[in-house]
Amino acid sequence: MYLEEYNPQHKEVVNNYYLTEEMNYYTSHPKDCLLKSAENKSFHSVLAFSDQALVTFLVLDEGKDKMLYTNNKNAMLLRSFSTDSRFLKKGHAKEALRLLSEFIQQNYPHIEEIVLAVNMKNTSAQNLYLKTGFIDKGTRVQGPIGELMVMTKLI
């Protein structure tokens, strides 16, 4: 598996990315994220490929929204993390998160921390983040669809 920042050559594979209705409840489809990325230069769309197939997608956000969850100006906010539903339960999400620190070090060497907010009802995502080195800071914030748990990982 490898991580790569989005470029226009990826448009077709992103358009074919599939999320179930339940997954769409907790995250945004990559197509929607790319529209936001085009408008917001602090958003970096990252694709995870396995055997040339797009299996996982995420956004790294260097903008001010991270300050809702951390005081560290050298942090990135992990947003819109998902796995194409056709590739679930194969370890792709875990591997993508494992590779993320190295990807950030190589591409954004000034970044010291990854921060995220996950819905309290999304226990499977919480467990995945904990297994990949994220820590529950004990901070809770209100999100658009419910209470969020703030998690962090130092790079």
Side-chain angles (χ1 to χ4, degrees):
M1 176 180 280
Y2 63 95
L3 303 180
E4 188 172 317
E5 197 150 342
Y6 175 81
N7 69 60
Q9 295 173 339
H10 297 128
K11 185 177 182 177
E12 186 176 335
V13 294
V14 169
N15 285 339
N16 293 325
Y17 195 88
Y18 183 72
L19 296 176
T20 65
E21 190 174 319
E22 179 183 358
M23 295 166 80
N24 275 315
Y25 181 76
Y26 291 116
T27 193
S28 299
H29 191 280
K31 287 187 291 189
D32 299 327
C33 295
L34 291 174
L35 291 174
K36 289 180 185 174
S37 293
E39 300 167 3
N40 188 338
K41 299 303 177 200
S42 69
F43 277 42
H44 307 283
S45 296
V46 179
L47 293 71
F49 291 92
S50 179
D51 297 326
Q52 305 307 314
L54 173 58
V55 295
T56 302
F57 177 89
L58 60 98
V59 172
L60 296 172
D61 180 3
E62 290 187 88
K64 64 182 179 178
D65 285 355
K66 67 186 173 197
M67 303 311 285
L68 299 170
Y69 311 113
T70 183
N71 293 325
N72 187 349
K73 292 178 183 173
N74 292 322
M76 273 189 149
L77 178 60
L78 172 60
R79 310 177 84 121
S80 303
F81 183 75
S82 67
T83 297
D84 184 308
S85 63
R86 298 168 291 191
F87 297 98
L88 289 173
K89 307 290 185 201
K90 296 182 183 195
H92 296 303
K94 189 174 186 180
E95 181 66 7
L97 289 171
R98 189 188 68 73
L99 294 170
L100 188 57
S101 292
E102 182 179 334
F103 178 84
I104 291 172
Q105 286 175 332
Q106 290 175 354
N107 294 283
Y108 307 97
H110 62 286
I111 297 299
E112 303 167 345
E113 176 187 19
I114 307 167
V115 65
L116 62 88
V118 59
N119 192 287
M120 290 297 293
K121 295 178 185 173
N122 194 350
T123 56
S124 60
Q126 292 168 30
N127 290 330
L128 172 66
Y129 294 132
L130 289 169
K131 287 178 186 174
T132 55
F134 284 85
I135 298 165
D136 176 3
K137 293 174 64 173
T139 304
R140 304 294 182 263
V141 296
Q142 191 60 36
I145 59 169
E147 188 177 31
L148 304 172
M149 173 190 294
V150 176
M151 302 180 89
T152 186
K153 181 179 181 181
L154 297 177
I155 303 286

